[in-house]
Amino acid sequence: MNPIGIIYDIKKFAVHDGPGIRTTVFLKGCPLSCWWCHNPESQSRFPESKTELLTKNNLKLFRGNETIGVEVSVEEVMREVEKDIVFFDESDGGVTFSGGEPLMQDEFLLSLLKQCRLKDIHTVVDTSGYADYSVFEKINDYVNIYLYDLKIYDNQKHLKYTGVSNQLIHQNLKQLLKAGKNVKIRLALIPGIVDSLENLAQIISFIKTLDDELTVDILPYNKIGENKYNRMNLVHQLSGLEQQTEAEINRVKLQFETAGLKAS
Ligand code: SF4
């Protein structure tokens, strides 16, 4: 029997979650609790009662009621995904599984990935990397690309700002590369924390010890998440931060490129 999962959104026509036009499925639950999380509704593993976000169209696609997050079957998700196959084919796109942390629902994710493989749909998994490596081993054969988030190199700071150590994350990245998986690094520039000169230099050195050919996606800070905290009566511990300018983003990219890495 196919497992049931919990998702909190499906975003169609996504163009920043991997190659081509993609449908992104957001699985609920995350073992991290980043101070800057722009999807706070994703962190709890279970559906939560929050009226405000019910107006989102994508949640209405399913059995929407006054909750964030709905239980869905693999078939229900695939029905939505398959509506967009024509766009995937035209753009070399596919489906991206994001979160939260999609690896938290490993059996559900595995079933979805297997279905995608059966239907020849390209797959991306966007992960924090925080999972037992056995979960990666389980899904590796069905994942075309991993989008792998790095955050803070200093472990004490990582622990402080995300709630977990980065050692497992770094170890898993090494193992994925050793296994020959297609991995793209993502780095969201949280002002003063991730984008500090010291952290960037440490992240660059770390990546260079792994593989000079890795591409790093540099993402600006996303302020949109702060509004969600207000609506959900949550405290945003980093409110008031400003998104970097294009010139600042380009400077960071140049820092990576000067070190011999590919930044996009
Ligand atoms: S890993 Fe992502 S989803 Fe999880 S808490 Fe951090 S920012 Fe939020």
Side-chain angles (χ1 to χ4, degrees):
M1 199 177 89
N2 274 334
I4 293 290
I6 300 177
I7 66 167
Y8 68 96
D9 204 353
I10 291 184
K11 185 170 76 178
K12 296 186 171 238
F13 304 107
V15 291
H16 299 294
D17 295 336
I21 295 173
R22 311 196 70 81
T23 294
T24 303
V25 182
F26 293 87
L27 280 70
K28 202 159 165 11
C30 184
L32 279 67
S33 48
C34 304
W35 285 26
W36 52 81
C37 182
H38 61 272
N39 288 327
E41 72 275 31
S42 73
Q43 290 182 7
S44 162
R45 173 76 170 73
F46 304 101
E48 296 162 285
S49 175
K50 298 287 174 194
T51 314
E52 184 70 34
L53 292 174
L54 274 179
T55 50
K56 291 190 76 180
N57 286 335
N58 285 335
L59 284 178
K60 284 182 181 171
L61 287 170
F62 293 96
R63 298 187 290 265
N65 53 25
E66 293 197 352
T67 59
I68 299 168
V70 282
E71 281 193 352
V72 284
S73 66
V74 172
E75 290 75 22
E76 282 175 296
V77 175
M78 290 309 296
R79 258 201 303 278
E80 282 305 312
V81 165
E82 284 175 53
K83 288 177 186 170
D84 302 325
I85 282 184
V86 62
F87 302 108
F88 304 157
D89 289 347
E90 280 174 9
S91 66
D92 290 331
V95 63
T96 297
F97 297 104
S98 185
E101 172 47 68
L103 273 63
M104 267 188 94
Q105 298 188 51
D106 53 342
E107 291 301 330
F108 180 57
L109 178 63
L110 177 63
S111 295
L112 288 167
L113 289 165
K114 282 183 173 173
Q115 283 301 311
C116 288
R117 179 56 53 90
L118 273 177
K119 294 170 197 303
D120 204 20
I121 297 173
H122 183 274
T123 58
V124 167
V125 170
D126 181 7
T127 179
S128 67
Y130 194 83
D132 194 282
Y133 191 71
S134 61
V135 178
F136 285 99
E137 284 179 316
K138 207 187 287 185
I139 64 171
N140 265 350
D141 286 348
Y142 306 98
V143 179
N144 292 109
I145 301 176
Y146 282 105
L147 298 180
Y148 203 98
D149 301 333
L150 290 181
K151 298 178 173 69
I152 307 168
Y153 185 77
D154 180 276
N155 199 25
Q156 285 310 309
K157 287 185 188 160
H158 196 279
L159 195 55
K160 172 181 171 183
Y161 288 113
T162 72
V164 303
S165 157
N166 61 19
Q167 289 185 354
L168 180 64
I169 295 167
H170 291 180
Q171 190 56 38
N172 285 340
L173 177 57
K174 285 178 195 164
Q175 287 196 252
L176 281 179
L177 293 171
K178 203 165 151 201
K181 292 309 297 172
N182 189 351
V183 177
K184 201 170 181 191
I185 304 292
R186 290 190 131 188
L187 191 68
L189 296 178
I190 311 307
I193 301 172
V194 177
D195 77 350
S196 74
L197 285 177
E198 185 191 21
N199 187 53
L200 292 176
Q202 290 170 329
I203 293 272
I204 287 171
S205 302
F206 173 59
I207 294 173
K208 281 178 74 73
T209 65
L210 303 173
D211 181 352
D212 271 358
E213 293 300 310
L214 279 175
T215 303
V216 185
D217 250 349
I218 307 289
L219 308 172
Y221 176 62
N222 183 350
K223 266 182 80 74
I224 293 170
E226 286 186 26
N227 298 332
K228 284 188 192 171
Y229 281 75
N230 296 335
R231 288 202 303 266
M232 295 171 72
N233 289 324
L234 298 172
V235 177
H236 192 293
Q237 301 190 75
L238 294 171
S239 62
L241 296 181
E242 289 302 321
Q243 185 168 321
Q244 293 86 1
T245 63
E246 208 177 322
E248 286 166 336
I249 300 290
N250 287 337
R251 264 200 300 278
V252 173
K253 286 183 184 169
L254 187 63
Q255 194 178 340
F256 278 77
E257 284 161 2
T258 306
L261 296 170
K262 294 181 207 140
S264 60

